[in-house]
Amino acid sequence: QVQLVESGGGVVQPGRSLRLSCAASGFTFSSYDMHWVRQAPGKGLEWVAVISYHGGNKYYADSVKGRFTISRDNSKNTLYLQMNSLRAEDTALYYCAKDSNLEHWGQGTLVTVSS
Amino acid sequence: SYELTQPPSVSVSPGQTASITCSGDKLGDKYACWYQQKPGQSPVLVIYQDNKRPSGIPERFSGSNSGNTATLTISGTQAMDEADYYCQAWDTSTRVFGGGTKLTVL
């Protein structure tokens, strides 16, 4: 069955960087677009970024454009999110999700930006 | 930027029909999806492409999308359906979520 396991979250100071990973299994990773979605504590879902199945197309929410970079390694079945210049408002649970309908989601990894 | 608007809360009695709306400019021209999220859990897709149900989602969940409004309908609502529900749609190449609706079954 489809499994998505996020990792790399933690506590980081404002202005610093962090890289999240999402390990995928149970499906042909290289055939599907992948997304990052975040949820601040007690708040709703916010779409962050998407990468096409081949990695050639990437799109971002305005709130993270220029600071975050989505990438993937199809040989490792892994999705990444490089987060730079982190702000307090980036504090959230970060989920990876599979395919155009976001049909499958991981359990999330928590990022806390605080001094 | 594109916005989707949902009512913050909807209440329904067990066995009755719950309707949750999602409004956006010309939303009917886009595909809408709906996600259910229970406390402490990851979201679950319950409707995609306006009105399709993924495998394993009960038939009591249905969707429609026309004009400026998409609607999630839960027929014969059960206590287990109490959750937050989010709509989502494409905007050019990006995605947008609605603010979420808390469904209370009482």
Side-chain angles (χ1 to χ4, degrees):
Chain A
Q1 73 280 22
V2 173
Q3 268 204 316
L4 299 169
V5 180
E6 302 93 338
S7 61
V11 179
V12 61
Q13 293 179 330
R16 303 298 290 267
S17 299
L18 206 60
R19 189 177 83 156
L20 306 183
S21 299
C22 169
S25 60
F27 65 101
T28 304
F29 181 72
S30 59
S31 296
Y32 293 92
D33 295 354
M34 295 292 296
H35 300 258
W36 286 100
V37 177
R38 68 184 181 183
Q39 187 169 34
K43 303 297 185 182
L45 301 173
E46 180 187 12
W47 178 82
V48 173
V50 61
I51 185 168
S52 59
Y53 64 96
H54 50 71
N57 296 319
K58 306 174 185 181
Y59 300 97
Y60 300 91
D62 288 344
S63 58
V64 306
K65 200 174 296 182
R67 299 188 299 123
F68 290 12
T69 301
I70 189 171
S71 63
R72 64 192 297 160
D73 186 335
N74 286 344
S75 67
K76 295 183 178 179
N77 290 346
T78 303
L79 175 72
Y80 302 102
L81 186 67
Q82 177 68 41
M83 304 185 296
N84 298 332
S85 303
L86 282 161
R87 306 167 179 168
E89 54 264 37
D90 296 319
T91 293
L93 187 63
Y94 284 75
Y95 296 101
C96 62
K98 166 186 171 284
D99 77 35
S100 59
N101 296 314
L102 288 81
E103 181 169 6
H104 298 277
W105 298 59
Q107 290 303 303
T109 186
L110 183 62
V111 173
T112 303
V113 184
S114 173
S115 54
Chain B
S1 60
Y2 195 74
E3 294 185 0
L4 294 174
T5 301
Q6 299 180 234
S9 62
V10 168
S11 297
V12 63
S13 299
Q16 298 304 301
T17 297
S19 294
I20 300 173
T21 59
C22 174
S23 299
D25 185 48
K26 298 180 181 178
L27 180 55
D29 292 343
K30 310 175 190 295
Y31 274 139
C33 296
W34 290 91
Y35 303 86
Q36 176 194 70
Q37 187 179 33
K38 296 181 179 179
Q41 298 184 18
S42 301
V44 173
L45 178 70
V46 295
I47 293 290
Y48 67 99
Q49 291 181 13
D50 296 339
N51 53 23
K52 296 179 173 58
R53 276 180 293 104
S55 173
I57 300 301
E59 290 184 7
R60 63 180 181 274
F61 288 87
S62 63
S64 63
N65 186 15
S66 179
N68 294 324
T69 303
T71 303
L72 173 69
T73 302
I74 309 173
S75 304
T77 306
Q78 300 182 10
M80 68 171 65
D81 300 329
E82 186 163 286
D84 294 326
Y85 290 85
Y86 296 90
C87 60
Q88 182 263 125
W90 288 81
D91 176 35
T92 60
S93 300
T94 63
R95 305 302 183 91
V96 177
F97 283 97
T101 298
K102 181 175 181 58
L103 177 67
T104 301
V105 182
L106 42 68

